[in-house]
């Protein structure tokens, strides 16, 4: 189980250092690469997170894999986490790092879901609209979900702006069910 | 008193014995030495009679009677007396036993009557208790039956409502499914673009 508080402390230290040396973007990309490898390569994940593999061996493999692919700061952070037996917090570290970077930049992460892929113009319009609503810059993540039938849905922070037919149908269904249950 | 009687008896026996011996001796003497005329006349006429022997015989009898009385009649009388007293004692004991039996019978009958009365009283009490219990059980059963009936009615009503609700919800789901299918079939890129544009135009208006 991941300990968010630990990941948050590591992320805060890493972000502050990255900001000082102006390598925030590089570090974020490094973390995304490491997390992507963890997500897609089960062998590597099993090796890195296994409690039966020794610390030295993990450090050795990590050095071999990442030392010439990531920034020195990222490598240093990874090495520290391995030494402290905190390799299970790498994914949480990445999430917390991104959160800190967005907070620092005044950026809001928004997931934009639509039944069909939006063209560039539509994407810009949606992002601009959300930016207007929130008053902040938007970092969008576009998803295509055919179950939405039509329209678009934007989720950011704890807010959902639902303009899809699926959302309207769900709302209609909820109201009808509510009416039915109220009758009984 | 018995001692006096015995000493009196002994004296009489001694007297009788002395007289008997005297008569026996006298009779023998007369029989051997005295010849009376009328005795000889009677012998001659064919009637044998000897007064001396007769007197002697009387003396023998006088001696014999006490002997018989001492050695035969007295033990027999004593045995008869003992037997009589034994019988009297036995009769007394029997009478006593009969009295006790009568008393016991009386007591037994009294106890029997008392026991019967107690038993009747207990039976009546148990019958009354059983009747009360029966009434209570009948009342409880009736109450339970009423409660079960009410519960069954409630459950039937609830089940009816549940089925109706399920039916209505099923109708709602079917309607939504049909609407979704219709929307999906009629959805095209132009309509989708229009929906996205509507979202861009109207999003956040309610905020």
């Amino acid at each position: 189980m991941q300990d968010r508080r630990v990941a948050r402390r590591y992320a805060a230290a890493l972000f502050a250092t990255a900001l000082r040396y102006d390598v925030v973007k590089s570090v974020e990309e490094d973390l995304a690469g490491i997390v992507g490898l963890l997500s897609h390569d089960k062998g590597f994940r099993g090796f890195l997170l296994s409690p039966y593999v020794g610390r030295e061996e993990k450090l050795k493999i990590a050095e071999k894999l990442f030392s010439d692919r990531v920034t020195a700061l990222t490598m240093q952070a990874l090495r520290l986490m391995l030494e402290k037996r905190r390799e299970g917090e790498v994914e949480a570290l990445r999430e917390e790092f991104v959160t800190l970077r967005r907070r620092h930049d005044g950026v809001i992460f928004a997931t934009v879901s639509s039944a069909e892929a939006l063209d560039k113009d539509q994407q810009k319009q949606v992002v601009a609209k959300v930016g207007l609503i929130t008053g902040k810059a938007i970092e969008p993540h576009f998803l295509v979900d055919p179950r939405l039938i039509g329209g678009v849905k934007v989720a950011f922070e704890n807010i959902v702006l639902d303009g899809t037919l699926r959302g309207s149908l769900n709302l209609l269904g909820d109201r009808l069910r509510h009416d039915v249950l109220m009758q009984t | 008193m018995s001692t006096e009687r015995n000493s009196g008896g002994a004296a009489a026996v001694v007297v009788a014995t002395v007289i008997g011996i005297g008569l026996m001796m006298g009779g023998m003497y007369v029989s051997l030495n005295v010849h009376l005329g009328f005795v000889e006349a009677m012998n001659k006429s064919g009637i044998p009679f000897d007064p001396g022997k007769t007197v002697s015989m009387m003396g023998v009898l006088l001696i014999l009677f006490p002997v018989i009385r001492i050695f035969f009649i007295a033990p027999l009388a004593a045995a008869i007396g003992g037997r009589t007293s034994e019988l009297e004692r036995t009769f007394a004991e029997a009478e006593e036993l009969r009295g006790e039996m009568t008393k016991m019978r009386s007591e037994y009958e009294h106890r029997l009557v008392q026991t019967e009365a107690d038993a009747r009283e207990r039976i009546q009490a148990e019958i009354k208790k059983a009747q009360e219990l029966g009434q209570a059980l009948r009342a409880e059963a009736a109450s339970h039956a009423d409660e079960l009936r009410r519960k069954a009615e409630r459950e039937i009503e609830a089940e009816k409502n549940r089925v109706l609700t399920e039916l209505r919800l099923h109708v709602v789901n079917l309607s939504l499914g049909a609407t979704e299918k219709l929307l999906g079939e009629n959805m095209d890129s132009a309509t989708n673009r229009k929906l996205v544009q509507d979202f861009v135009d109207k999003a956040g208006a309610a905020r």
Side-chain angles (χ1 to χ4, degrees), chain A residues 124-143:
Chain A
K124 276 183 188 172
Q125 283 185 328
V126 171
V127 169
K129 185 68 181 182
V130 178
L132 190 67
I133 292 168
T134 59
K136 290 183 177 176
I138 302 299
E139 184 181 311
H141 176 62
F142 293 100
L143 290 175

Side-chain angles (χ1 to χ4, degrees), chain B:
Chain B
M1 174 131 184
S2 175
T3 311
E4 287 174 6
R5 194 174 173 180
N6 287 341
S7 60
V13 166
V14 170
V15 170
T17 303
V18 170
I19 293 171
I21 290 168
L23 284 175
M24 193 173 66
M25 297 299 285
M28 287 300 290
Y29 179 79
V30 170
S31 177
L32 293 174
N33 300 313
V34 179
H35 300 283
L36 296 174
F38 74 94
V39 172
E40 287 177 359
M42 284 179 73
N43 285 330
K44 283 179 181 176
S45 58
I47 297 170
F49 179 65
D50 186 346
K53 285 182 180 177
T54 303
V55 171
S56 178
M57 191 58 67
M58 288 171 69
V60 169
L61 287 174
L62 273 176
I63 294 167
L64 201 59
F65 276 140
V67 171
I68 289 169
R69 200 172 60 193
I70 288 166
F71 292 103
F72 181 70
I73 291 173
L76 186 64
I80 289 169
R83 182 69 181 161
T84 302
S85 64
E86 182 72 20
L87 284 172
E88 282 174 354
R89 193 167 53 81
T90 304
F91 281 135
E93 284 178 357
E95 194 66 27
E96 190 180 346
L97 281 172
R98 198 179 71 170
E100 283 180 5
M101 288 296 291
T102 305
K103 189 181 171 189
M104 282 172 70
R105 183 179 165 194
S106 169
E107 284 178 0
Y108 171 73
E109 284 175 353
H110 178 70
R111 282 170 61 185
L112 191 65
V113 168
Q114 185 65 37
T115 304
E116 282 178 355
D118 288 349
R120 273 198 300 276
E121 193 177 333
R122 278 191 191 175
I123 288 167
Q124 290 301 323
E126 290 299 323
I127 288 171
K128 193 179 174 187
K129 201 187 287 183
Q131 285 173 344
E132 287 173 358
L133 185 62
Q135 282 179 349
L137 286 173
R138 276 197 294 277
E140 190 181 344
S143 168
H144 190 56
D146 283 348
E147 179 59 32
L148 284 176
R149 186 175 52 75
R150 283 196 292 274
K151 189 180 172 190
E153 285 173 356
R154 285 198 301 272
E155 285 177 355
I156 289 167
E157 186 66 22
E159 186 64 15
K160 193 176 82 179
N161 289 334
R162 190 185 65 78
V163 171
L164 269 175
T165 304
E166 275 186 7
L167 189 65
R168 286 171 181 153
L169 289 173
H170 191 59
V171 170
V172 166
N173 290 336
L174 283 175
S175 305
L176 288 170
T179 308
E180 182 181 338
K181 198 175 176 187
L182 276 173
L183 287 171
E185 284 173 356
N186 293 304
M187 182 58 59
D188 52 22
S189 293
T191 313
N192 193 42
R193 285 184 70 82
K194 189 173 180 304
L195 285 169
V196 173
Q197 192 58 50
D198 282 351
F199 173 81
V200 170
D201 293 340
K202 295 175 185 171
R207 294 191 70 188

Side-chain angles (χ1 to χ4, degrees), chain A residues 72-106:
Chain A
L73 182 60
T74 309
M75 193 63 224
Q76 193 180 344
L78 183 62
R79 201 179 293 120
L80 182 65
M81 292 184 84
L82 289 172
E83 283 172 357
K84 298 286 185 185
R85 285 271 187 215
R86 292 292 183 183
E87 54 269 30
E89 316 296 333
V90 172
E91 287 162 321
L93 167 75
R94 188 244 172 185
E95 288 170 14
E96 292 296 330
F97 187 89
V98 171
T99 303
L100 287 171
R101 194 265 300 157
R102 285 173 186 151
R103 195 177 296 158
H104 177 265
D105 294 345

